[in-house]
Amino acid sequence: PDAPARRGEDAVAVFDATARLVRLSPGLAALLPPGATAPETGAPLATVVAALIGGPAEPDDAATPMLLRALAERAEDLHAGDRRVLQFALSPCAEGSRLTVADVTHERHLRESVARRDTMLRLLIDTQRSAMAGGETGAAIGDCLDRLMRLCGCHGGAVAELRRDAKGRLEPVVIAARGSAIDAFAGLPPPVLLRALDSLAPECAADGAETFGLGNAMVLPVLDRDRVNGVIVLSSRAEPFDDDLAECLAVAPSIVALLLSLRTQRLRRAQAARDLRASRGQVRAIFDTIREGAVLASASGAIVGFNAAAEQLFGFTLGEVLGRPFGDLVATDDAATPEAFYALGDGQRREILAQRRDGTTFPAEISVSRVAIDDDPLYVAILQDITERKRIARVQSELVSTVGHDLRTPLTSILGALRLVNGGSLTDDKARDMLGIAERNGRRLMRLITDLLDLERINAGMIAFNPAPTDLGAVLLQCVDNHRPLTEAKGLRILWTLPTPPLWTVGDPDRLAQIVTNILANAIRFSPEGGAIAIRARFEPDAIRVEIADEGPGIPADFLPVMFDRFQQVANRIRRVRTDDSAAEGSGLGLSIVRALVELHGGRVGAVSPEGEGATVYFELPGKTAAPE
């Protein structure tokens, strides 16, 4: 009986001019819902339509004019209560109007099925395109969920990734959620979700207690190599999910599985990148902690690494040397070529002449070691500036030579004098002269040993140093008074220029006296008979400056830069007249001790010697603004 009705051949009803039923065809009667009563003759149009779609038995009479207008313009599809779709069309006829009804359920469902599959195909294509473009997977999963909800007519939905905890239990991590579907992962999960995860197959449920407020819902497990790694929940649909919609949604888990897999890969890649950056940062930090200059070079001789010490050593930054040949750091041919450089790769230390960015050179000690990273050889060169070491070695050599000479000379004089005295051939006067020579050379030897010990104690930080508020003016007066016999013997005048307020500073009085004594002794030694020594002191900003000037022959200009070094004696560089040879003999350490003690007090020392105007030695010490209480 359905066949003629589906074809629309005799499923008709005829109405008069007042839209009252005149007659009803058998085909139209067959479209009535099961158990429904056929409308009687004279029933209005609205009653006939309501009977066909399962509406109210006695509809509002006002609905008939509205239906007449609507059906006269175009055919209308109305959904029957038993999920059928009926198409109504009204056309004029001799009696009045003719209502033609056709069951188009199959055609409409087929059309919806095609549209759904087209939507899923576009969703799959868009997902693949988004995956290839490298888009953000979280946003792509949310967009996929929105499109699935629109396709199904749902008001809720969620996509969750399932991870296993330390005990092997599945733990949901919600990636995207809409509406009330988030409740499926909070608290006790609904049975429909548990059934789907247990069977690893899609599960549908109508609105009821088993969905815990999700309404008409569908759960789709997401599988990756037959293991569940996610779940899709679509809920709050007006009608239960039919088989065709469930079949159409069968591809959705594959789409979400792809997005979840991409998300996992990108998270792992991002974590790996972070770990790599952290590892590189740690390696760089360790590399930079090497106190010597460290340079990494590839097999071709190109620089691929440069630590902070190397940057300071050569004056290059890391960016400036990357890719440059290692030979740019070498001033000679010792390791300028890759072959020569790699020939050093036995870890042995050798000396080369290195070159800085500004072109200056310096002696360096280098050791090269070969390392293999992923079968790609790298060479690590450790360089150390040995300029200071060579200077110290030279100073030590000169020190041994000078000390040996300075010790040998007085000892030779002492031994020679004693030998003559012990020979018994000298008169008493001659013997006394020889003993005097031995005594003077003994004192000279004692001064040399004392100065050497003092200097070493200062350098080793073992010298007694007791700073306290001290009037530097009082120290100057005391030192001059102590040297009065020498100044009077040479007829020297002391010219004072001191400020009225006391020269308060914080220092060790004994060490301050030692500073003044050494400078004053030199001034007396080189001053001519009847000359003058000027002692000047003045306040500088945050300091006190003391100057001791003589009228002697002065200091050669080339000697000024080294006069405070060890064993530097200006007496060997100038010609002068002296009445007592022994008085001019010094150890060459006095001014070195002066500089060390001044620096120990936080000050500085220097000298000036204008040609023909004698020499002025000065020192500056931190000053105090007020006297101690």
Side-chain angles (χ1 to χ4, degrees), residues 557-568:
D558 62 340
F559 187 73
L560 285 172
V562 298
M563 64 178 292
F564 292 95
D565 293 344
R566 295 184 180 189
F567 299 107
Q568 298 294 332

Side-chain angles (χ1 to χ4, degrees), residues 107-122:
E107 288 82 354
R108 295 296 180 266
H109 287 181
L110 182 60
R111 186 181 302 170
E112 289 178 1
S113 178
V114 171
R116 289 169 178 170
R117 282 161 174 75
D118 182 62
T119 300
M120 294 302 296
L121 179 60
R122 286 197 302 271

Side-chain angles (χ1 to χ4, degrees), residues 303-339:
I303 297 174
V304 296
F306 211 65
N307 74 340
E311 292 181 355
Q312 185 175 3
L313 187 64
F314 289 97
F316 288 103
T317 63
L318 175 62
E320 290 174 330
V321 296
L322 286 181
R324 296 181 63 169
F326 180 82
D328 289 355
L329 306 179
V330 181
T332 64
D333 294 334
D334 296 345
T337 64
E339 294 77 12

Side-chain angles (χ1 to χ4, degrees), residues 17-206:
T18 61
R20 298 284 177 171
L21 180 63
V22 175
R23 63 180 180 275
L24 190 71
S25 71
L28 192 142
L31 293 178
L32 291 169
T37 303
E40 297 179 354
T41 301
L45 174 64
T47 300
V48 176
V49 172
L52 289 169
I53 64 175
E58 297 181 0
D60 188 2
D61 288 340
T64 296
M66 181 182 66
L67 284 172
L68 286 173
R69 290 194 300 272
L71 296 178
E73 295 177 0
R74 62 182 183 279
E76 292 286 347
D77 290 348
L78 298 179
H79 291 269
D82 53 358
R83 288 189 168 185
R84 292 182 304 156
V85 180
L86 301 178
Q87 186 179 71
F88 295 82
L90 191 65
S91 59
C93 64
E95 286 121 321
S97 57
R98 176 187 176 92
L99 178 67
T100 304
V101 182
D103 187 347
V104 294
T105 303
H106 181 71
E107 288 82 354
R108 295 296 180 266
H109 287 181
L110 182 60
R111 186 181 302 170
E112 289 178 1
S113 178
V114 171
R116 289 169 178 170
R117 282 161 174 75
D118 182 62
T119 300
M120 294 302 296
L121 179 60
R122 286 197 302 271
L123 178 58
L124 179 60
I125 294 173
D126 291 345
T127 302
Q128 291 177 337
R129 185 182 295 117
S130 175
M132 294 179 64
E136 204 279 315
T137 51
I141 292 174
D143 178 66
C144 178
L145 176 63
D146 292 335
R147 294 168 72 168
L148 290 175
M149 290 172 56
R150 287 195 298 270
L151 173 69
C152 303
C154 294
H155 298 289
V159 175
E161 184 178 10
L162 298 179
R163 301 175 184 171
R164 294 194 179 273
D165 59 17
K167 296 183 179 180
R169 296 172 300 191
L170 288 176
E171 180 181 5
V173 178
V174 178
I175 308 299
R178 308 287 187 268
S180 61
I182 185 63
D183 296 335
F185 304 102
L188 188 65
V192 61
L193 178 59
L194 297 178
R195 285 202 310 272
L197 294 178
D198 183 58
S199 63
L200 300 184
E203 289 286 341
C204 295

Side-chain angles (χ1 to χ4, degrees), residues 542-562:
D542 301 324
I544 298 173
R545 182 183 177 97
V546 176
E547 298 176 352
I548 299 177
D550 60 51
E551 296 178 347
I555 302 171
D558 62 340
F559 187 73
L560 285 172
V562 298

